[in-house]
């Protein structure tokens, strides 16, 4: 994956290129552009976990066709946009009380040829609150999250929401990537509390066949990929 940054009216535009680096075949390559705003807040920047999750999805793109995907805490929505471009029916969500974030997600979609409300959905969904939006979601096959576990004070709110969604969709999975920031942060107790089980997915061979070095994608960060399901 290569990335380019350009300045445009105070905005940084990043281009993420997925696929074989030496091919011109459209079916083997996907380009996604993400605008980043120089504003305070977490949601206007593409954090290091998002490209890792997006690459993992790209390598399994055929399995995404017609899947119903929900991204939590979407921010700049790189994984969700990739899933939509690969044929999934995607809903992007972020906090209901952050209208500028939701507007920015819509802009990210439009820049990638996805019309909000037509090709992709963008909704407000606040972790831990059971408002109309969560009941109106409909069936979900896959829940995504990238770097949403950054503040321990909201860990339980996230998992309460995930537990509710997985109970309503027993066949679904929650796939999330996170950047390790503290060895003291742990969600194991919360997973047991909310009847969830978790498996670590190895990233050792991520994109090796495509000539992409996983460590280059991660930079100096330690990033993990996990899959959460409902306990039987």
């Amino acid at each position: 994956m290569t990335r380019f940054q350009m300045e445009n009216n105070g905005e940084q535009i990043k281009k993420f290129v997925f696929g074989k680096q030496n091919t011109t075949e459209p079916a083997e390559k996907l380009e996604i552009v993400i605008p980043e705003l120089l504003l305070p807040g977490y949601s206007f920047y593409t954090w290091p976990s998002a490209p890792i999750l997006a690459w993992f999805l790209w390598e399994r793109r055929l399995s995404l066709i017609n899947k119903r995907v929900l991204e939590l805490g979407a921010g700049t929505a790189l994984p969700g946009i990739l899933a939509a471009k690969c044929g999934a029916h995607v809903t992007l969500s972020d906090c209901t009380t952050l209208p500028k974030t939701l507007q920015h997600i819509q802009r990210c979609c439009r820049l990638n040829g996805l019309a909000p409300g037509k090709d992709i959905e963008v909704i407000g969904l606040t972790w831990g609150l059971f408002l109309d939006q969560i009941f109106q979601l409909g069936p979900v096959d896959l829940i995504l999250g990238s770097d949403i576990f950054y503040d321990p004070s909201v860990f339980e709110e996230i998992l309460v929401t995930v537990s509710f969604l997985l109970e309503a969709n027993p066949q679904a999975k929650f796939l999330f990537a996170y950047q390790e920031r503290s060895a003291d942060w742990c969600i194991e107790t919360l997973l047991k509390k909310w009847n969830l089980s978790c498996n670590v997915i190895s990233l050792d061979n991520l994109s090796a066949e495509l000539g992409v070095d996983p460590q280059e994608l991660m930079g100096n960060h330690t990033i993990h990929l996990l899959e959460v399901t409902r306990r039987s």
Side-chain angles (χ1 to χ4, degrees):
M1 179 180 60
T2 54
R3 290 177 284 183
F4 305 90
Q5 296 186 5
M6 298 166 284
E7 295 292 336
N8 181 25
N9 298 324
E11 191 177 71
Q12 292 188 91
I13 305 293
K14 284 187 179 178
K15 179 186 290 186
F16 295 84
V17 183
F18 298 88
K20 295 181 180 179
Q21 303 302 295
N22 57 355
T23 184
T24 58
E25 292 295 326
E28 298 295 329
K29 184 174 289 188
L30 175 63
E31 294 185 359
I32 296 177
V33 293
I34 298 294
E36 296 185 344
L37 300 176
L38 303 179
L39 295 175
Y42 300 113
S43 54
F44 302 104
Y45 174 77
T46 306
W47 295 91
S49 296
I52 297 295
L53 179 56
W55 263 111
F56 183 84
L57 294 172
W58 168 256
E59 292 187 333
R60 291 152 184 80
R61 58 193 177 279
L62 295 180
S63 69
L64 292 172
I65 297 173
N66 291 324
K67 287 292 190 297
R68 298 158 298 190
V69 176
L70 168 68
E71 184 172 3
L72 300 177
T76 59
L78 176 61
I81 288 173
L82 182 139
K85 300 290 280 187
C86 290
H89 304 290
V90 176
T91 298
L92 305 172
S93 70
D94 215 305
C95 186
T96 306
T97 59
L98 298 175
K100 289 185 178 180
T101 293
L102 297 173
Q103 292 169 10
H104 187 64
I105 294 173
Q106 293 174 342
R107 172 162 163 71
C108 292
C109 293
R110 287 192 292 268
L111 285 179
N112 289 284
L114 299 170
K118 181 181 178 182
D119 305 311
I120 196 167
E121 297 295 328
V122 179
I123 66 169
L125 194 159
T126 302
W127 305 325
L129 293 183
F130 295 92
L131 305 176
D132 289 345
Q133 293 89 339
I134 198 167
F135 293 103
Q136 295 170 358
L137 278 173
V140 174
D141 299 306
L142 179 63
I143 304 165
L144 301 176
S146 64
D147 229 344
I148 58 177
F149 288 96
Y150 57 84
D151 180 354
S153 68
V154 299
F155 285 3
E156 185 160 22
E157 294 172 2
I158 296 169
L159 292 176
V160 166
T161 301
V162 169
S163 179
F164 174 83
L165 291 169
L166 293 181
E167 184 175 6
N169 301 274
Q171 84 293 343
K173 298 177 180 180
F174 173 41
L175 185 66
F176 71 95
Y178 78 96
Q179 177 182 332
E180 185 177 312
R181 293 182 171 86
S182 171
D184 296 328
W185 295 0
C186 180
I187 62 172
E188 183 176 358
T189 301
L190 292 174
L191 288 168
K192 291 180 179 178
K193 178 179 179 180
W194 294 104
N195 198 33
L196 300 171
S197 60
C198 181
N199 293 310
V200 177
I201 298 174
S202 174
L203 295 172
D204 290 345
N205 297 316
L206 180 68
S207 303
E209 294 181 1
L210 303 178
V212 178
D213 182 356
Q215 293 304 316
E216 183 180 347
L217 291 178
M218 297 182 196
N220 296 321
H221 309 292
T222 300
I223 294 175
H224 304 282
L225 183 64
L226 294 93
E227 181 183 87
V228 171
T229 55
R230 186 86 178 164
R231 288 181 184 271
S232 57

